[in-house]
Amino acid sequence: MVFAAPGEALTRAEELLGADPPPLHASVAHQVIGIWQRDFGDTRRALAHLRRARDLAARADSAEREADVLATLGVALVHAGRTRAGLAAFERGVARGSGHTRARVLYRRAYVWWVLGRHGEALEDVRRAIPVLRQADDVIWTARALTLRATVHLALGSVERADADFTAAEALWDTTGQEHDKADAVESRGLAAFRAGDVPAALRLLDEAEERYAKLGTPTFMLTIRRCEVLMAAGLATEALTEADAAVAALDGIGGQSTRKAELLLVAARAARLAGEPQTALARAAVAVRLFAGQRRTWYETHARLVLIEARVATGRGSGRLVADAAAVAERLVAFGAPAAPEASLLAGRIALDLGWTADAERHLAVAARSRHSGPPLARMTGWAAQALRARAAGSARGVLEACRRGLDVLDDHRMTLGASELRARATAQGAELAALAQRASLVSGGPRRLLGWSERWRATVLSAPPTRPPADPVLLSTMTAFRELASRADEARSEGGRPAPALEREQRRLEREIRSRTLHMRGEAPGDGDRFDVARLLRRLGDDVRLVELAVLDGRVHVLLCGQGRVRRFEAGLLAEAEGEAEHVQAGLRRLAHPGAEARLPLVEAAGARLQELLLGPAAAHLGSGPVVVVPPGRLHRVPWALLPALRERVLSVSPSASSWLRARDTAPPPGGRQLLVRGPGLASGGAEVPELSARYAGTRPRGGSAAEPRPPGAPAGTREPLPRGDRRSHGEHLDQREQGEQGIRGERSRTHAVPPDGGTPRDPRPVDGGAGDARSARSALREDGGSERGRPGGGGRRLPDVPGDGAAPRGATVVLEGDDARVPRVLRELDGAALAHIAAHGTFRADSPLFSSLRMADGPLIVHDFERLDRSPYRIILPCCDTARFASVGADELLGLVTALLPLGTAGVVACTAPVNDAAVVPLMLALHKGLDAGLSLAEALRDARAALPGDAVHQATGWAFSAFGAA
């Protein structure tokens, strides 16, 4: 019962002891309490109860009972770090028991051998136990033994054997009521999925196991270890480190198992190393080595020593001693049959190469390279990395490039099994070394074209295919609705000068975790991208006028690849670190210039722009020609306001995450119908004043040779038009004085959010948590409806402007205006899907801690990146006059996560967005001028260039213009 209903078993055992039972029954009760304390509580209490159970079994003169208790005691002693005493207890247990009881003892000793990393002994004991358990028709213990054998097979890399045993065990568990064992079986299947390379399935199964354990109220330290392993493989090392450290603290708090603590410390050390925290990795690994050594767990101790050596190398301590240590670790791992052995050989070879010991390096790297043809994806990548280093040592650039190509192909295949864009982006970190090796080899021997090809090979790959659409999961949809409502209530609390209640913030964080968790479970649907980057195709599309500037970073220095006029030229610029520092200074200056009264800083910001140009473009700035320019920066330079650079200031300028992404945007056709969408979110200081101006412009456009038809009033028959409420129609052109701009404030300044709707009236009442049925529908399902009362009712759910062709212009589709309470997320998503142009004036918030929760504030709460990923097709063009909408999190090898990068793979060919907080009033004339250019048939980049030129020359307006960039090619 202790593994079916742990809490109930503990209560009944304590009740039994209170009734003064005979020694035999008391022995059982103490054993149950000992098991509960061993697995879910205090190890010291467990040992006391189990010793009492052993003594009572001896008093009852029951050899079988004594053998069973000795086995339980042996497990507890080993988990307490007293390995020799634990193994001695097993020896006595095997000697005292017989038949069925001995088989149970052997099973538990096999478990201990697995804990100790002695897999051969574990397989031998479980091999002896299973036939006896089956003959006795002991379903529960047979299922446990099969699960254990499968786990040992996984540790040895035998995934197929493990899968067969897990399948057989699962069939047996279905016939029992052992809820804890069932949860353990789900956890084990998650481990098997991970070993087979299926990260989304592993995360889904581990989350399911966690839910099952939570219902039983039992701790999940082993589950935490396995989940951290999966998180690290998914590129979420920082998250894994946080979880492991929290579990260590919780285990210490209850006096839990010493063995589990050592395993958690090992996981934390690995996570810290992958997260770029070598000192933390050193500290965790050193304690883990000491604990494993005291527990006589040489398999685990060897793995901990591998992490310790890796951390020492990461801190710059390469030495001949470390080469020898890594080689010794590799030999021991080979003897254990551990899959990590190639990693240790690669490490030894890499250290030897750095020391110039080419013969030693070749010996170790040759061993590591054997893993490139078999095993899971990451093991094969280890082998190809070793092969690339061998080729580099031999001076073969061709060999380096071939090994890098093969290794990145393996990672491509693995990456495309991941459905979530976050996982795809973070997984690229595992190919960073291969990409860097290939770029260096190209720089030495291949010329600018080859360097461009390899720069593109691993740049912004998350944009190469649309992310998998989130499933039509009612739980996910209702969770997103609840999250939106809580976030809205939190915003209201902040706008009233306070802060949300701690309970509200905790619930919001919980809902964020659930949304993210369910999103990470998605498997990839798209095959690997077969459309490889072609330099010749890029040059043909650029023609003679357009220049594409791709910035590659090698060994900390920026290299400019200037593409155009049928050729690629390379120029050396400045150091990346200096450029990043200068970009931060510029961002700080733009933030100051968003406030009136900071005019004196304008020359400083312009001078910083000139320094940035020298660092980022160098001599290439003199060879840009006179035509449009496309800038392709690395991820770490995503915050540069490119329009501030003197050579780019007066140009038609667009930015793209990669040249491949720019080509795809150029090839994207606008949707039929040409629907426009104007959205005005709540709380803007100017009330999003450009939206009524734009809606009036679209509504007032006159057809050729006649006057515009009258709008249809509500309830009027077809053929009549609804009158358009104008709202705040004050002119917001160039004549706005500085005082008025100061009063209107900074767009996106959260501390000054207004709770009054932009069309006047009273502040909005908090809405119920359920949010109504419409909120829980996905954008796709809503689009397939026939419209219902909201879509079909004149004036309901927003204002739809008529299809009126302009004077001399091609016919345009309907224009939809959503503002006030109509600007709710479900309706906004429905209208965004497939639109030709969308303009969203709203507060923007960038979440550096969780970039896919970056948001635009709507009437019912935040519209987050996860919402956009539900669109079948995002708008062809989208304009975001919102703060921080062009900010990204740089992750993986060279990936960006944020709002713009979520839109580009979904059908958006062009975006105008902002990298900094901007003055709300100054945005209005910029946006009106931008739309004027679009009306004239210009591209986003052309219209933005002309809009900047039309702004007043004061500091506030100039800074506002520089803060905006055009992304893509529309």
Side-chain angles (χ1 to χ4, degrees):
M1 182 186 263
V2 75
F3 294 107
E8 185 180 348
L10 178 64
T11 299
R12 288 181 59 176
E14 290 171 343
E15 289 174 352
L16 179 63
L17 289 178
D20 193 23
L24 187 67
H25 293 178
S27 173
V28 173
H30 278 289
Q31 185 180 9
V32 166
I33 298 172
I35 291 171
W36 194 97
Q37 291 288 355
R38 181 196 69 193
D39 291 352
F40 315 128
D42 189 325
T43 305
R44 290 167 297 180
R45 293 183 181 179
L47 290 172
H49 281 284
L50 292 174
R51 290 189 179 105
R52 181 63 175 151
R54 177 199 58 193
D55 296 342
L56 288 166
R59 280 178 53 191
D61 198 22
S62 171
E64 302 299 310
R65 171 106 285 278
E66 188 177 355
D68 196 76
V69 175
L70 283 167
T72 304
L73 177 61
V75 173
L77 286 166
V78 170
H79 276 313
R82 301 177 58 185
T83 302
R84 182 179 297 175
L87 293 176
F90 274 111
E91 287 297 324
R92 293 196 301 275
V94 171
R96 293 285 286 163
S98 62
H100 185 202
T101 300
R102 179 180 291 164
R104 290 185 173 189
V105 174
L106 287 171
Y107 155 75
R108 283 176 281 192
R109 188 169 69 174
Y111 166 80
V112 161
W113 290 133
W114 170 72
V115 168
L116 296 173
R118 295 167 65 172
H119 299 113
E121 290 99 324
L123 287 175
E124 174 60 23
D125 271 355
V126 82
R127 182 191 64 80
R128 293 167 59 190
I130 286 176
V132 179
L133 295 171
R134 279 179 168 154
Q135 188 176 6
D137 198 23
D138 189 340
V139 174
I140 291 174
W141 287 76
T142 301
R144 287 174 180 166
L146 288 169
T147 301
L148 174 62
R149 188 169 68 181
T151 305
V152 176
H153 282 317
L154 281 181
L156 295 173
S158 301
V159 177
E160 292 182 1
R161 291 181 180 180
D163 187 62
D165 277 345
F166 279 136
T167 301
E170 191 170 2
L172 293 176
W173 287 127
D174 286 341
T175 67
T176 74
Q178 297 296 114
E179 297 305 321
H180 192 277
D181 283 314
K182 288 180 181 179
D184 184 67
V186 175
E187 177 186 337
S188 298
R189 282 197 291 120
L191 179 62
F194 170 54
R195 294 284 187 258
D198 192 343
V199 170
L203 288 170
R204 176 178 55 80
L205 289 164
L206 293 178
D207 285 349
E208 180 185 338
E210 186 174 26
E211 290 175 7
R212 289 172 177 256
Y213 288 130
K215 292 177 182 177
L216 298 170
T218 59
T220 56
F221 296 113
M222 192 68 223
L223 177 71
T224 298
I225 292 168
R226 289 169 172 171
R227 178 174 166 78
C228 287
E229 290 178 353
V230 180
L231 291 174
M232 285 186 282
L236 301 171
T238 300
E239 194 170 318
L241 175 60
T242 300
E243 288 197 20
D245 280 349
V248 170
L251 191 68
D252 286 342
I254 65 172
Q257 299 169 354
S258 173
T259 51
R260 287 287 179 264
K261 179 177 180 177
E263 292 163 18
L264 285 165
L265 285 168
L266 172 56
V267 166
R270 290 183 56 220
R273 181 183 61 79
L274 293 173
E277 299 184 29
Q279 294 297 339
T280 302
L282 274 173
R284 304 288 190 277
V287 178
V289 166
R290 187 168 66 250
L291 287 174
F292 285 132
Q295 295 162 3
R296 299 172 179 267
R297 302 172 71 188
T298 54
W299 190 89
Y300 285 98
E301 180 190 349
T302 305
H303 282 79
R305 289 192 182 279
L306 172 60
V307 180
L308 189 64
I309 297 168
E310 289 172 332
R312 285 173 176 162
V313 172
T315 59
R317 302 184 189 178
S319 65
R321 173 65 181 272
L322 286 182
V323 174
D325 289 346
V329 165
E331 290 177 6
R332 285 199 292 272
L333 290 174
V334 169
F336 291 140
E343 295 178 32
S345 295
L346 174 61
L347 178 62
R350 187 180 282 121
I351 303 170
L353 267 185
D354 291 341
L355 294 172
W357 298 1
T358 54
D360 291 289
E362 167 61 22
R363 184 174 71 256
H364 296 305
L365 293 173
V367 173
R370 294 172 192 162
S371 69
R372 67 190 186 274
H373 295 303
S374 62
L378 298 185
R380 282 180 282 151
M381 282 193 60
T382 296
W384 285 116
Q387 186 69 9
L389 289 174
R390 291 178 73 195
R392 189 184 71 172
S396 172
R398 177 178 295 181
V400 171
L401 295 176
E402 175 63 13
C404 291
R405 182 184 67 78
R406 298 284 295 275
L408 292 178
D409 284 347
V410 171
L411 189 51
D412 265 341
D413 292 340
H414 166 65
R415 185 173 51 83
M416 295 311 294
T417 68
L418 308 174
S421 54
E422 179 181 1
L423 290 188
R424 288 186 185 181
R426 294 186 184 278
T428 60
Q430 295 148 353
E433 181 185 20
L434 288 171
L437 285 170
Q439 284 183 306
R440 291 191 194 101
S442 300
L443 182 64
V444 170
S445 65
R449 283 197 179 211
R450 179 174 286 178
L451 180 57
L452 175 63
W454 277 101
S455 177
E456 281 291 300
R457 178 65 179 82
W458 210 243
R459 179 190 292 257
T461 59
V462 74
L463 306 182
S464 62
T468 301
R469 298 298 195 278
D473 178 356
V475 176
L476 176 59
L477 294 172
S478 62
T479 302
M480 292 179 75
T481 300
F483 160 76
R484 195 152 39 241
E485 173 59 30
L486 282 172
S488 178
R489 288 162 57 189
D491 270 343
E492 288 172 357
R494 293 187 188 97
S495 69
E496 294 167 2
R499 63 184 297 270
L504 188 67
E505 292 183 323
R506 285 195 300 271
E507 179 63 7
Q508 183 175 337
R509 288 193 296 269
R510 185 192 69 79
L511 291 170
E512 285 185 10
R513 288 194 299 270
E514 185 171 343
I515 292 168
R516 183 167 178 264
S517 174
R518 287 184 172 272
T519 304
L520 296 183
H521 295 170
M522 296 186 301
R523 277 189 59 81
E525 296 174 353
D529 185 16
D531 184 19
R532 295 293 188 192
F533 175 70
D534 182 352
V535 175
R537 176 170 170 254
L538 172 68
L539 293 174
R540 286 195 304 270
R541 296 304 302 270
L542 290 172
D544 292 333
D545 295 330
V546 182
R547 299 289 187 275
L548 185 141
V549 177
E550 179 147 331
L551 305 182
V553 178
L554 282 81
D555 299 321
R557 182 168 291 279
V558 178
H559 293 256
V560 183
L561 299 171
L562 180 60
C563 310
Q565 292 184 312
R567 59 179 176 158
V568 181
R569 289 177 286 173
R570 182 179 69 85
F571 302 87
E572 280 195 20
L575 296 176
L576 176 65
E578 293 182 11
E580 286 183 291
E582 200 66 56
E584 287 303 315
H585 290 314
V586 168
Q587 284 292 329
L590 290 179
R591 285 195 294 271
R592 290 288 302 276
L593 288 174
H595 299 268
E599 292 83 354
R601 299 191 63 84
L602 183 60
L604 300 177
V605 171
E606 291 184 304
R611 289 194 296 272
L612 263 180
Q613 176 171 301
E614 184 62 28
L615 290 167
L616 295 177
L617 299 181
H623 300 273
L624 294 178
S626 59
V629 173
V630 180
V631 177
V632 180
R636 290 171 61 182
L637 293 175
H638 67 274
R639 296 207 66 193
V640 172
W642 296 97
L644 178 61
L645 275 57
L648 304 177
R649 200 170 293 174
E650 307 299 328
R651 290 181 181 274
V652 175
L653 170 67
S654 58
V655 181
S656 183
S658 68
S660 300
S661 178
W662 181 80
L663 283 171
R664 281 191 294 274
R666 280 289 299 265
D667 293 339
T668 300
R675 182 174 76 253
Q676 288 105 7
L677 173 66
L678 304 174
V679 179
R680 180 160 60 159
L684 293 172
S686 71
E690 75 270 20
V691 172
E693 295 276 357
L694 294 173
S695 66
R697 172 183 294 170
Y698 289 128
T701 308
R702 296 184 178 274
R704 193 186 307 249
S707 60
E710 290 296 320
R712 175 164 54 94
T720 61
R721 303 268 165 97
E722 173 191 358
L724 175 67
R726 296 303 176 97
D728 179 7
R729 292 300 314 280
R730 288 182 299 163
S731 174
H732 290 268
E734 298 180 7
H735 61 274
L736 268 161
D737 63 32
Q738 294 297 317
R739 179 184 55 79
E740 194 172 357
Q741 292 171 14
E743 291 171 353
Q744 291 182 12
I746 308 303
R747 180 160 297 194
E749 187 176 304
R750 305 302 297 268
S751 62
R752 299 180 59 190
T753 298
H754 292 246
V756 179
D759 57 351
T762 58
R764 185 166 55 88
D765 292 330
R767 301 196 171 273
V769 172
D770 59 12
D775 294 72
R777 293 185 303 217
S778 72
R780 283 180 289 162
S781 63
L783 279 166
R784 297 187 182 108
E785 296 171 357
D786 63 3
S789 60
E790 184 178 17
R791 184 180 289 270
R793 184 178 70 249
R799 296 179 284 120
R800 184 181 292 277
L801 302 181
D803 180 356
V804 182
D807 192 7
R812 72 172 76 246
T815 299
V816 178
V817 182
L818 299 177
E819 54 190 354
D821 201 48
D822 292 326
R824 296 168 66 81
V825 170
R827 180 65 197 277
V828 171
L829 287 173
R830 286 199 293 275
E831 298 296 348
L832 280 172
D833 213 312
L837 173 67
H839 178 108
I840 305 178
H843 280 293
T845 302
F846 175 71
R847 287 278 301 274
D849 63 320
S850 191
L852 297 188
F853 282 92
S854 299
S855 63
L856 304 175
R857 185 181 171 199
M858 298 291 104
D860 58 337
L863 173 65
I864 60 177
V865 175
H866 287 297
D867 288 313
F868 281 99
E869 291 187 340
R870 304 191 68 82
L871 297 174
D872 279 327
R873 176 172 181 172
S874 59
Y876 176 70
R877 288 173 171 171
I878 186 165
I879 299 169
L880 300 170
C882 325
C883 296
D884 293 335
T885 47
R887 286 189 63 187
F888 310 98
S890 181
V891 300
D894 197 6
E895 304 294 322
L896 295 171
L897 289 178
L899 183 54
V900 172
T901 55
L903 292 167
L904 293 176
L906 294 170
T908 293
V911 182
V912 169
C914 181
T915 63
V918 287
N919 186 284
D920 204 20
V923 167
V924 174
L926 180 70
M927 291 297 106
L928 293 175
L930 174 67
H931 279 269
K932 181 179 179 181
L934 296 179
D935 265 355
L938 301 181
S939 69
L940 286 173
E942 291 168 332
L944 184 59
R945 187 270 313 265
D946 290 354
R948 288 194 194 102
L951 289 174
D954 60 87
V956 173
H957 284 90
Q958 291 300 304
T960 302
W962 292 330
F964 281 89
S965 296
F967 296 84

